Amino acid sequence: MIRKKLGLRIKELRKEKKLSQEELADLSNLDRTYINSVENGRRNISIINIEKIANAFDLTLKDFFNF
């Protein structure tokens, strides 16, 4: 399932950067509970929010999706 795969990618990147969900939420200007539900594959995420998260990790969308 793509939502689960994407959520695992975000969680993996967040842990590599040693960020909490709250810190990632602040960097991406999203709510912490939203980050949690995305990481757990419970939410469809828009491309706009994917870009916000990729930017928070200093990644291009191409690099973000390279998993």
Side-chain angles (χ1 to χ4, degrees), residues 21 25 30-38 42-43:
Q21 287 182 345
L30 297 168
D31 189 81
R32 187 205 53 81
T33 59
Y34 180 82
I35 297 293
N36 179 272
S37 63
V38 168
R42 293 190 311 262
R43 184 177 294 265

Side-chain angles (χ1 to χ4, degrees), residues 6-26:
L6 187 60
L8 289 174
R9 173 70 171 153
I10 292 169
K11 186 182 282 189
E12 171 188 287
L13 289 168
R14 180 176 59 77
K15 289 187 177 204
E16 281 178 18
K17 298 275 187 175
K18 296 181 175 33
L19 295 171
S20 67
Q21 287 182 345
E22 188 169 341
E23 289 168 325
L24 176 56
D26 288 342

